[in-house]
Amino acid sequence: MPTIFDQAVRDRNESAWLLPNDGTRTNHRLRRDMRRFDDTDEIDLVIVGCGAGGSVLAQRLARKGWRVAALDAGPFWDPDADWVSDEAGSHHLYWTEPRVIAGDDPVPMGSNNSGRGVGGSMVHYAGYTPRFHPSDFSTDTDDGVGADWPLTYEDLKPYYQAIEQELPVAGERWPWGDPHGYPQRPHPVGGNGEIFLRGADKLGITAKVGPVAIVNGRFGNRPHCIYRGFCLQGCKVNAKASPLITHIPDALSHGAEIRANAMVTQVVVDQRTGRALGVNYLLDGRERFQRARMVAVAGYSIETPRLLLNSASRRFPDGLCNEFDQVGRYLMVQGAPQTAGRFDAEVRMYKAPPPEVSSEEFYETDPARDYKRGFAIQTVSPLPITWAEHVAAQGHWGRALREYMSDYVHWSCLGSLCEFLALPENRVTLADEKDAHGLPVAQFAYSQCDNDRALMKQARTVMEDILHAAGADEVITINRYAHLVGGARMAADERHGVVDRNCRSFAVPNLYITDGSVLPTQGSANPALTIMAVAARAADHLTGTA
Ligand SMILES: Cc1cc2nc3c(=O)[nH]c(=O)nc-3n(C[C@H](O)[C@H](O)[C@H](O)COP(=O)(O)OP(=O)(O)OC[C@H]3O[C@@H](n4cnc5c(N)ncnc54)[C@H](O)[C@@H]3O)c2cc1C
Ligand code: SF4
């Protein structure tokens, strides 16, 4: 029986009801009957990248009657045929094209930071969907670090609410930032979540269940979660939200074309007028050109700046939108240390979704500390291969590694997200190395600052304290990174960023950027919900309803 809430969501995004209701996961008819544009049609908008930002934009504009084609370099996934509930078997979900890493603290690329194919990185993201705090939008004014957004939290709030309903998000009432509730009740928690709640409670730290974009109960034709813990392998069940199931079906039913396996190589600009004409792309080994009235780039924080730099021309010799040397700069990654604790009783952390419980108690700047901004703590629950990586990163090998592996069911694991600051020298440039298509690959240089290091040290201490308080007899902590954002940030003017508050590029009036690259700061929240909200807001601006 549909609820009033279900009906309200369905009226603006029918995706969950367009999925099949017969035990399969893909609406093949919708894909087969998809509208197909010709390269020579001047469509209203061509979108590069079908992930968090690109898919929301496609769905919103298709609903408004725009002629939209979204091109993605990867496949149009079919969960039944393409995905397996198996760590090793899911490697093909990641963007594993070559990238060069540099700087004092280089960031490893691959499974942990970007995806390929329709749905983007959210296909194998964990599923946490917190909002940013109001303070994230004015860190320069308030703390003298990071940047002020040309937007406020209040500008984004209605879009947060809308996307939370469309995913939908489950969780307890959220006491941090702008306190708010969620459309679905919190999920029951497994062993890892219980340990986090117990340890936090003993230390007087508030921790809450959620917020996760995993359906709690049936939603449209999406079944509820079966708690088998393969969220980072694509969720074959369709319980975990990703644009592949939450926005693409509705986009297709409103006439959008999703062109998979189409690698965009260049945004083409009229050298006389400076306006975008469309994009060059490769499909089935052939070079093609899609003409369009407008172009939106949403290829992720590494590939978006790379594409802009690879789109240099006579009029834009240093790369598109790069007259003020802003493209690729202020790229951010969150410090993501991970602490595991051993318990005599079995924990079996794999028997639940990895995203279960979080605390944002340490999110804001604490004047008593010698660093600015803060961190969040969440359950992470690695599966065996990722657990082996955790143990090996601690220096254990051979027999010791085998012993830790056979003891896997006794371990619990927490992760932090530390707000590393946006710095101009942390950036994407083009490397000398070329990819299989002969295009220069991205070089990503990253170095931490003292604030980053101090923050990460404190996050490690708090996680270890929580696990000890919960009864762990041994804890092991490693440093990691997560969640790249920035690289084409929004700003008040073209000397400080690449796009304006509506995601429109300063340099090319009919070119938009609508992915995580536009974020000027990152808070210590997981970014996907904010990326989708920013894209939904840009869509309203484009259709004149903002
Ligand atoms: C392991 C993992 C866990 C994560 N967990 C969480 C979490 O719990 N919560 C959260 O909020 N976030 C999480 N994230 C991050 C989140 O998934 C990303 O921040 C978000 O998906 C980024 O959105 P985007 O639109 O910028 O890019 P993406 O979603 O990555 O989409 C970019 C798309 O562009 C395509 N593309 C790139 N270049 C081209 C080109 N030249 N031509 C055509 N197509 C192109 C790619 O194939 C891809 O599909 C996680 C990410 C990973 C990898
Ligand atoms: S635990 Fe739930 S959300 Fe995660 S993969 Fe399994 S069914 Fe999907």
Side-chain angles (χ1 to χ4, degrees):
M1 184 75 177
T3 63
I4 294 171
F5 161 72
D6 286 356
Q7 193 55 50
V9 176
R10 188 172 182 174
D11 287 345
R12 60 169 198 275
N13 179 352
E14 206 170 9
S15 293
W17 290 266
L18 291 168
L19 293 167
N21 192 14
D22 59 3
T24 62
R25 280 102 179 162
T26 300
N27 185 331
H28 292 286
R29 185 195 51 75
L30 208 51
R31 292 191 188 184
R32 194 189 55 232
D33 298 345
M34 171 172 74
R35 184 173 186 179
R36 287 171 209 278
F37 296 103
D38 200 78
D39 282 343
T40 51
D41 291 338
E42 193 190 44
I43 59 175
D44 292 315
L45 178 72
V46 61
I47 303 173
V48 183
C50 243
S55 303
V56 170
L57 188 69
Q59 183 261 342
R60 293 301 202 254
L61 293 183
R63 271 221 162 215
K64 293 282 181 186
W66 282 43
R67 290 149 47 90
V68 177
L71 277 53
D72 200 286
F76 207 156
W77 299 114
D78 173 355
D80 284 313
D82 299 329
W83 296 349
V84 285
S85 297
D86 169 64
E87 263 187 299
S90 302
H91 196 71
H92 58 297
L93 298 179
Y94 318 138
W95 186 289
T96 49
E97 293 290 310
R99 287 159 171 174
V100 176
I101 54 173
D104 297 339
D105 305 285
V107 177
M109 296 279 123
S111 64
N112 200 39
N113 43 40
S114 54
R116 61 186 265 280
V118 180
S121 306
M122 284 181 75
V123 158
H124 72 286
Y125 84 143
Y128 278 116
T129 40
R131 296 183 191 177
F132 280 19
H133 288 197
S135 66
D136 286 317
F137 297 79
S138 54
T139 63
D140 185 22
T141 297
D142 300 344
D143 289 316
V145 296
D148 291 352
W149 291 47
L151 285 181
T152 64
Y153 171 84
E154 289 301 322
D155 291 325
L156 267 195
K157 185 172 176 173
Y159 299 96
Y160 275 138
Q161 289 167 330
I163 300 285
E164 279 167 357
Q165 290 173 356
E166 290 165 55
L167 294 177
V169 180
E172 286 188 83
R173 183 164 175 81
W174 216 242
W176 298 287
D178 173 30
H180 57 277
Y182 285 110
Q184 291 201 331
R185 285 149 50 96
H187 285 271
V189 298
N192 202 21
E194 278 182 7
I195 284 170
F196 184 9
L197 290 169
R198 187 170 76 224
D201 187 50
K202 287 224 164 111
L203 297 178
I205 296 169
T206 305
K208 294 282 176 190
V209 180
V212 294
I214 296 175
V215 289
N216 191 358
R218 200 174 174 81
F219 181 68
N221 293 335
R222 286 171 59 196
H224 63 83
C225 172
I226 58 169
Y227 304 116
R228 274 205 320 145
F230 287 102
C231 313
L232 286 99
Q233 282 66 44
C235 186
K236 230 174 142 60
V237 176
N238 272 354
K240 189 194 73 173
S242 89
L244 182 70
I245 51 174
T246 61
H247 287 79
I248 295 298
D250 193 66
L252 292 178
S253 79
H254 286 85
E257 177 186 348
I258 306 298
R259 210 173 295 167
N261 302 309
M263 170 75 187
V264 175
T265 56
Q266 195 178 31
V267 178
V268 180
V269 172
D270 185 319
Q271 298 297 300
R272 193 177 52 80
T273 63
R275 292 180 66 83
L277 295 171
V279 296
N280 285 335
Y281 67 103
L282 293 164
L283 182 65
D284 297 330
R286 273 187 49 222
E287 282 189 29
R288 295 170 52 165
F289 170 69
Q290 176 65 57
R291 180 173 294 281
R293 194 168 61 79
M294 289 186 150
V295 176
V297 180
Y300 191 71
S301 278
I302 301 281
E303 294 305 314
T304 287
R306 176 190 178 210
L307 180 63
L308 295 176
L309 295 173
N310 272 332
S311 299
S313 64
R314 200 164 21 83
R315 188 167 176 133
F316 297 98
D318 299 320
L320 200 52
C321 307
N322 200 27
E323 298 97 311
F324 295 96
D325 195 21
Q326 291 293 306
V327 170
R329 288 196 185 277
Y330 301 100
L331 212 102
M332 289 161 274
V333 63
Q334 283 167 330
Q338 199 169 277
T339 300
R342 189 191 182 280
F343 294 80
D344 281 341
E346 288 189 356
V347 179
R348 295 193 180 270
M349 59 180 162
Y350 61 89
K351 274 186 172 285
E356 294 192 275
V357 176
S358 347
S359 173
E360 294 178 1
E361 187 122 332
F362 306 95
Y363 195 108
E364 302 286 344
T365 296
D366 176 351
R369 299 271 166 204
D370 59 353
Y371 55 77
K372 305 288 188 190
R373 306 302 298 158
F375 56 91
I377 303 178
Q378 302 175 329
T379 50
V380 286
S381 305
L383 290 176
I385 294 177
T386 325
W387 171 239
E389 286 166 3
H390 182 116
V391 175
Q394 263 270 320
H396 299 292
W397 202 244
R399 185 177 172 163
L401 174 60
R402 278 205 307 280
E403 279 169 8
Y404 275 105
M405 290 306 295
S406 31
D407 205 31
Y408 171 66
V409 294
H410 290 275
W411 286 83
S412 155
C413 201
L414 303 180
S416 275
L417 295 178
C418 303
E419 178 175 349
F420 281 6
L421 299 175
L423 302 172
E425 56 276 17
N426 289 337
R427 76 178 302 190
V428 163
T429 50
L430 294 180
D432 293 335
E433 200 172 311
K434 305 258 171 59
D435 69 6
H437 313 299
L439 291 170
V441 306
Q443 167 161 311
F444 174 34
Y446 195 82
S447 304
Q448 293 170 22
C449 63
D450 290 344
N451 200 81
D452 300 341
R453 278 186 279 271
L455 224 155
M456 188 142 74
K457 188 159 168 268
Q458 179 61 11
R460 292 172 62 120
T461 304
V462 174
M463 286 194 294
E464 290 177 1
D465 289 349
I466 290 171
L467 289 180
H468 278 307
D473 48 25
E474 180 188 353
V475 297
I476 52 176
T477 303
I478 59 164
N479 282 345
R480 286 168 64 251
Y481 296 108
H483 304 149
L484 288 165
V485 294
R489 69 177 184 174
M490 61 167 69
D493 61 66
E494 67 272 24
R495 292 183 184 274
H496 297 96
V498 177
V499 297
D500 68 11
R501 66 199 303 269
N502 299 317
C503 297
R504 175 164 149 164
S505 78
F506 290 115
V508 181
N510 61 341
L511 174 66
Y512 283 71
I513 300 175
T514 59
D515 61 2
S517 329
V518 301
L519 271 48
T521 61
Q522 59 178 344
S524 39
N526 320 59
L529 181 80
T530 299
I531 295 169
M532 295 174 118
V534 166
R537 187 179 174 282
D540 271 2
H541 158 75
L542 278 164
T543 54
T545 48

